[in-house]
Amino acid sequence: KKRNSTMAESKASESTAQYDLTNTLAKYLDLHLMFPLLEFVDGNEFLKYSPEDIQKARLALVQPTNMVEYAIEIYQELNNTKDVPADMATLRDSVYRQIETYESEDSALRTFFTDLDAGKYANTFSEQQPLNLAWLSENVGVKQEDVEEYYKCAKFEYECGQYETTTQMLTNFLQIEEYKVITSELGFKALWGKFAALILLPNEGYPNKWDMAMTELDKLKNAIDTRGDNDKQQLQQRTWLLHWSLFVFWNHPKGRDLIIDAFLSEKYLQAIQINAPWLLRYLTTAIIINKRRRDELRNLVVVIQQEHYTYSDPITKFLECLRVDFDFDGAQERLGECTQLLKSDYFLCNCTDEFVKAARFFIFETYCRIHQKIDISGLATKLMMSSEDAELWIVNLIRGAQLDAKIDSTNNCVIMGSNFPSIYQQVIDKTKSLTMRSYQLSNNIERMAESKNS
C-alpha cells in the first residue's frame, strides 16, 4: 500500500511538471516580470526543478539588465569561483559610470517635477494650458531632447531594478502632453514600463499598488484600442497585456471578477484562442471559484472544446468531465491533479483551497441535477472525502439554504427536492454584475477627470 502511494505521488509530480507554464508565459513577459516566477519555482515541492537549472535561468534573465552585481553573484555561485568574467566587469564599470553621470547632472526637469509634486505649480495647468514641451521650454528651459533623456534615465533605473524610482519618473513623463500614449510611441512604451514597475513594487509600503496597476491596465487597454495600429500589432499587444494582467487580476480584491470580463471580451478572447490558449487555465479557475459568474460556463465550455486539441490541462479537463461528458469518476481524478497543479502555479497557488471547495460543490451540484436519490458513500468517493465528512458537508449546505434536499440517515442517502429559484434569487442573478460594471464605470470617470486636470 505504501509503495502504491509513493508511485502515485511520483506520477502526480511528473504530471504537475508537465503542465507547468513558466516557460510558456516567459514568451510574453518582460524579463523583470519573470523574477517573481523563478523565485516561486525555486524549491517548489511539486515541480522539483534542479536548483542549478533555476540559477542558470536567473543568470540568463539578469545578464541583459543593469543588475550586474546580482549577475556576478549568480555566476560565482554557479561556477564556485570568486573570479569576475571580463565582460561582466566591463559592463559593471559602464553601469557605475552612467549612474555617476545621472547623479552629477543638474537636471532642470528633475527639479521641475520635484517642485510640481510639492505644489509649487498648483492651478498652473488646465485644458487651456496643458503641461507641454512649449511651456517647459519657455518657463523651465527644457527642450525635447532633455525630456526624452529623462525617459531614458527612467528606463535605466528600471533595468537597475529601481522600480519605485521608475514608477515616479514615468508618472512624471506621462504628464507631458506630447507623450500621451495615444499620440506618442515613446509615451506608449512608457505606459508599459510604468505598468511593469508597479507590478514589481514591494507590497510592503504600497497598500494601493494593485489599484494603481489596475488603473494603468485600463489605460493600456484603451491605448491599444485607440492608437490605430494594424490588426496584427493589436493582436500581439493584447496577448502581451493578457499575460501581464495576470499579476493584477490574481492580486486585486476584485480581480477574480474582472478577469472573467476581460478574458471573455471578444477581442481578448480572440487573442487567447489565436496566440495563448493556455490562458484558459486562469479563466476556468476564476469562473469555477466564482459562483456568481457560473452563467459564463456555457460560453467557456464551447471555447475549451474548440481548443481541446491545442491546449488542455487538469483544470480545463475537469470542466469538460462535468459539463460535457458528465463523467464524475473522471472529474474526481482531475480534481486530485488540479490540487497539485494549483499549488505549483505562481498565480493560482493561493486559491487552492477555495478552488477545491468550489469544485466539490460543482461536482455535487451537477450530480444532483441528474439524480433524485444519492448514496452518500458513493458521493463521498467522487468528492474525495470520507463518508462522515461528506455527510457533514451536505448538512452544512442544506442549513445554508444552498440546497433543496434532505438526508435519509437510515439509508445513508440524500433525497433531492425540486429547486426553483425564488424571485429574490432571480433578481440577484439579473443584477449580479452591476458591482463590477459600476467599478469599471467609476474607473473610467476618474480617468477622464484626471485627463482633464492634467
Side-chain angles (χ1 to χ4, degrees), residues 413-447:
C413 66
V414 179
I415 300 175
M416 303 303 302
S418 298
N419 188 16
F420 299 101
S422 66
I423 186 64
Y424 304 107
Q425 186 60 45
Q426 291 179 48
V427 171
I428 291 172
D429 290 341
K430 293 290 184 183
T431 59
K432 59 189 172 186
S433 62
L434 284 180
T435 301
M436 181 258 315
R437 289 177 183 173
S438 300
Y439 175 80
Q440 290 179 319
L441 180 61
S442 67
N443 262 2
N444 291 336
I445 293 172
E446 287 177 11
R447 189 164 64 246

Side-chain angles (χ1 to χ4, degrees), residues 184-238:
S184 165
E185 187 65 30
L186 204 58
F188 190 46
K189 292 178 180 178
L191 187 55
W192 281 98
K194 181 182 176 182
F195 185 44
L198 279 169
I199 290 170
L200 292 164
L201 285 176
N203 291 326
E204 298 78 14
Y206 296 94
N208 298 321
K209 108 172 194 178
W210 296 117
D211 286 329
M212 294 188 290
M214 186 68 79
T215 299
E216 300 308 311
L217 173 59
D218 289 338
K219 288 180 180 178
L220 275 168
K221 288 173 66 177
N222 180 59
I224 291 170
D225 289 341
T226 55
R227 276 171 48 81
D229 292 327
N230 64 50
D231 291 343
K232 184 177 180 181
Q233 288 174 319
Q234 288 188 12
L235 179 64
Q236 288 300 108
Q237 290 162 2
R238 290 190 181 103

Side-chain angles (χ1 to χ4, degrees), residues 309-333:
Y309 296 103
T310 306
Y311 176 81
S312 66
D313 64 28
I315 293 175
T316 61
K317 290 176 181 176
F318 170 79
L319 189 56
E320 282 188 289
C321 284
L322 279 185
R323 293 301 292 249
V324 179
D325 304 324
F326 295 98
D327 178 5
F328 295 98
D329 292 332
Q332 172 201 345
E333 182 180 347

Side-chain angles (χ1 to χ4, degrees), residues 242-257:
L242 282 164
H243 286 78
W244 291 33
S245 71
L246 292 173
F247 290 93
V248 183
F249 287 135
W250 291 103
N251 284 283
H252 192 278
K254 297 182 179 179
R256 296 178 186 184
D257 255 340

Side-chain angles (χ1 to χ4, degrees), residues 4-235:
N4 290 339
S5 174
T6 303
M7 290 174 65
E9 290 173 4
S10 175
K11 183 177 179 181
S13 296
E14 290 175 8
S15 174
T16 303
Q18 174 189 352
Y19 294 114
D20 178 35
L21 291 179
T22 304
N23 287 329
T24 305
L25 298 175
K27 300 172 187 175
Y28 292 96
L29 293 177
D30 180 81
L31 290 179
H32 293 253
L33 295 179
M34 283 300 299
F35 293 146
L37 270 68
L38 277 185
E39 288 299 319
F40 173 79
V41 166
D42 191 7
N44 185 282
E45 62 178 315
F46 298 103
L47 295 175
K48 299 180 180 178
Y49 287 121
S50 161
E52 183 179 354
D53 288 342
I54 292 175
Q55 280 294 71
K56 288 179 180 178
R58 271 202 194 95
L59 183 59
L61 289 175
V62 172
Q63 278 185 313
T65 74
N66 291 334
M67 293 186 278
V68 193
E69 294 288 3
Y70 187 32
I72 292 172
E73 180 184 323
I74 297 172
Y75 173 87
Q76 291 174 334
E77 181 181 329
L78 277 171
N79 294 278
N80 193 27
T81 181
K82 293 186 178 180
D83 296 336
V84 178
D87 59 333
M88 288 188 178
T90 301
L91 180 58
R92 178 178 60 186
D93 294 342
S94 174
V95 169
Y96 281 138
R97 282 196 300 271
Q98 189 62 59
I99 291 173
E100 290 174 2
T101 300
Y102 282 134
E103 290 178 347
S104 62
E105 283 180 347
D106 183 18
S107 172
L109 190 58
R110 284 176 181 265
T111 302
F112 164 74
F113 280 126
T114 301
D115 292 341
L116 182 66
D117 290 340
K120 182 176 178 179
Y121 295 94
N123 302 320
T124 300
F125 304 108
S126 62
E127 286 187 22
Q128 291 71 34
Q129 178 52 71
L131 173 57
N132 55 28
L133 290 174
W135 189 94
L136 285 171
S137 177
E138 181 180 346
N139 295 274
V140 187
V142 170
K143 300 178 181 178
Q144 181 174 349
E145 53 264 34
D146 299 322
V147 175
E148 295 187 2
E149 185 62 31
Y150 184 82
Y151 166 81
K152 292 178 183 177
C153 181
K155 190 173 188 304
F156 179 85
E157 293 284 358
Y158 179 78
E159 296 298 343
C160 290
Q162 302 300 314
Y163 306 121
E164 181 179 4
T165 303
T166 303
T167 301
Q168 185 58 57
M169 292 185 71
L170 292 179
T171 299
N172 294 337
F173 178 81
L174 288 165
Q175 293 182 66
I176 301 173
E177 189 69 20
E178 285 81 359
Y179 298 98
K180 300 291 185 182
V181 294
I182 294 176
T183 57
S184 165
E185 187 65 30
L186 204 58
F188 190 46
K189 292 178 180 178
L191 187 55
W192 281 98
K194 181 182 176 182
F195 185 44
L198 279 169
I199 290 170
L200 292 164
L201 285 176
N203 291 326
E204 298 78 14
Y206 296 94
N208 298 321
K209 108 172 194 178
W210 296 117
D211 286 329
M212 294 188 290
M214 186 68 79
T215 299
E216 300 308 311
L217 173 59
D218 289 338
K219 288 180 180 178
L220 275 168
K221 288 173 66 177
N222 180 59
I224 291 170
D225 289 341
T226 55
R227 276 171 48 81
D229 292 327
N230 64 50
D231 291 343
K232 184 177 180 181
Q233 288 174 319
Q234 288 188 12
L235 179 64

